[in-house]
Amino acid sequence: MNEIDKFKEEVRANIRGLMDDHDVQALSRIWVREIARHKYAYNFSWMGRPIIQFPQDMLAMQEIIWATKPDLIIETGIAHGGSLIYYASLMEMMQLDGYVLGIDIDIRAHNRAEIEAHPMHKRIQMIQGSSIAAETVAQVAQHAKGKKSVLVILDSNHTHEHVQQELKHYAPFVTKDNYLVVFDTLVEDMPDDLIQDRPWGKGNNPKTAVREFLKSNDQFEIDKAIEAKILITVAPDGYLKRVR
């Protein structure tokens, strides 16, 4: 075994240790719960645009993109556009032949203007419309047609019904060995008082949709190693790898 393989095996052992350390796992869940009260995810930007994500998840996404070399990244939910720009910049740095497709029911004019003026816009395309509307899904299908490696990220409306419909429509676009990442599954694990003025909450959120999806779909498996490795994540049980 060469030195690189030895290091990789050491990392795998580290991750197994983290998965088995229930105290560390519990402390991580407590930490996430408490920082959520301070809107921790809102504190970061990427290349000038608010990203509204945990940095740990974004590092995990970088590893996924490097490993899978997608020629199309589909993301539902645009907000300020920071994550679109982040993924586009990674594709640019990695010199991948592809682009990011963002979908949102309401792309606000000021956000669209900032995204379109950004240097990474050359690798971004956007669709305004409900991610689960038939006409939107048909447009996405045209973008996915002929692509060799497709990564899908779901981060729009977080109700069970909406995410369930997104999983139904978008899972088929994911290519084998790539990922279907469902963000904000942590809603299921948060105290009720943290979810206010939202149509989602305990029992009605992305994690409940993922659980139901996996009951009838054997093409995807939860990649628990990612969650164990980064510890701090908005997507527990949300990193789904297409294995068939």
Side-chain angles (χ1 to χ4, degrees), residues 209-221:
V210 166
R211 287 171 178 167
E212 186 163 330
F213 170 73
L214 292 177
K215 286 179 184 177
S216 59
N217 190 308
D218 65 353
Q219 295 181 319
F220 291 85
E221 294 179 357

Side-chain angles (χ1 to χ4, degrees), residues 6 21 25 52 57 110 114 123 149 172 234 244:
K6 287 180 181 178
D21 192 325
Q25 296 293 331
I52 314 182
D57 284 307
H110 64 281
E114 292 289 341
R123 284 186 178 267
S149 180
V234 303
R244 297 178 182 86

Side-chain angles (χ1 to χ4, degrees), residues 57 60-61 64-65 68 70 72-76 87 103 131-132 140 149-156 162-185 206-207 209-224 226-227 233-244:
D57 284 307
M61 293 304 299
I64 287 172
I65 292 169
T68 63
L72 177 63
I73 299 175
I74 301 167
E75 180 175 41
T76 64
Y87 303 136
I103 304 151
S131 59
I132 61 175
V140 175
S149 180
V150 180
L151 166 65
V152 170
I153 302 147
L154 305 181
D155 193 16
S156 61
H162 186 88
V163 177
Q164 186 181 38
Q165 288 298 312
E166 284 188 327
L167 288 164
K168 172 185 173 182
H169 292 302
Y170 288 83
F173 297 135
V174 181
T175 50
K176 187 176 180 295
D177 296 323
N178 216 314
Y179 284 79
L180 172 59
V181 181
V182 185
F183 280 132
D184 286 314
T185 51
K207 183 179 279 190
V210 166
R211 287 171 178 167
E212 186 163 330
F213 170 73
L214 292 177
K215 286 179 184 177
S216 59
N217 190 308
D218 65 353
Q219 295 181 319
F220 291 85
E221 294 179 357
I222 297 171
D223 190 335
K224 296 294 289 186
I226 294 177
E227 180 183 341
T233 178
V234 303
D237 292 347
Y239 287 94
L240 310 182
K241 184 175 184 178
R242 184 160 194 171
V243 295
R244 297 178 182 86

Side-chain angles (χ1 to χ4, degrees), residues 22-235:
H22 301 298
D23 288 344
V24 168
Q25 296 293 331
L27 284 170
S28 297
R29 288 192 293 271
I30 293 169
W31 196 82
V32 169
R33 182 191 71 205
E34 294 307 311
I35 63 173
R37 301 183 191 280
H38 300 278
K39 293 188 174 181
Y40 172 81
Y42 286 74
N43 296 341
F44 308 99
S45 63
W46 184 260
M47 296 181 74
R49 296 303 296 158
I51 195 167
I52 314 182
Q53 296 286 2
F54 283 8
Q56 295 86 346
D57 284 307
M58 291 300 95
L59 188 58
M61 293 304 299
Q62 176 274 142
E63 292 189 358
I64 287 172
I65 292 169
W66 177 257
T68 63
K69 304 290 191 296
D71 47 1
L72 177 63
I73 299 175
I74 301 167
E75 180 175 41
T76 64
I78 291 175
H80 297 274
S83 55
L84 289 183
I85 289 165
Y86 176 70
Y87 303 136
S89 70
L90 291 179
M91 297 181 91
E92 180 78 1
M93 286 189 290
M94 296 177 193
Q95 300 181 343
L96 301 180
D97 182 16
Y99 60 95
V100 185
L101 177 64
I103 304 151
D104 203 300
I105 197 168
D106 179 20
I107 306 174
R108 297 180 181 178
H110 64 281
N111 288 329
R112 181 186 287 275
E114 292 289 341
I115 294 166
E116 291 180 346
H118 198 278
M120 288 300 105
H121 182 253
K122 61 186 176 180
R123 284 186 178 267
I124 296 172
Q125 296 189 38
M126 294 181 285
I127 297 172
Q128 179 162 300
S130 170
S131 59
I132 61 175
E135 57 270 25
T136 302
V137 176
Q139 290 181 67
V140 175
Q142 287 302 308
H143 283 273
K145 188 176 181 179
K147 296 297 189 295
K148 296 178 181 178
S149 180
V150 180
L151 166 65
V152 170
I153 302 147
L154 305 181
D155 193 16
S156 61
N157 184 315
H158 297 319
T159 64
H160 176 97
E161 179 60 28
H162 186 88
V163 177
Q164 186 181 38
Q165 288 298 312
E166 284 188 327
L167 288 164
K168 172 185 173 182
H169 292 302
Y170 288 83
F173 297 135
V174 181
T175 50
K176 187 176 180 295
D177 296 323
N178 216 314
Y179 284 79
L180 172 59
V181 181
V182 185
F183 280 132
D184 286 314
T185 51
L186 88 166
V187 171
E188 177 70 4
D189 308 320
M190 293 293 101
D192 289 332
D193 68 299
L194 285 179
I195 311 299
Q196 299 178 0
D197 301 319
R198 298 289 187 176
W200 50 80
K202 280 187 176 294
N204 174 26
N205 55 69
K207 183 179 279 190
T208 61
V210 166
R211 287 171 178 167
E212 186 163 330
F213 170 73
L214 292 177
K215 286 179 184 177
S216 59
N217 190 308
D218 65 353
Q219 295 181 319
F220 291 85
E221 294 179 357
I222 297 171
D223 190 335
K224 296 294 289 186
I226 294 177
E227 180 183 341
K229 174 166 58 179
I230 63 177
L231 291 174
I232 305 302
T233 178
V234 303

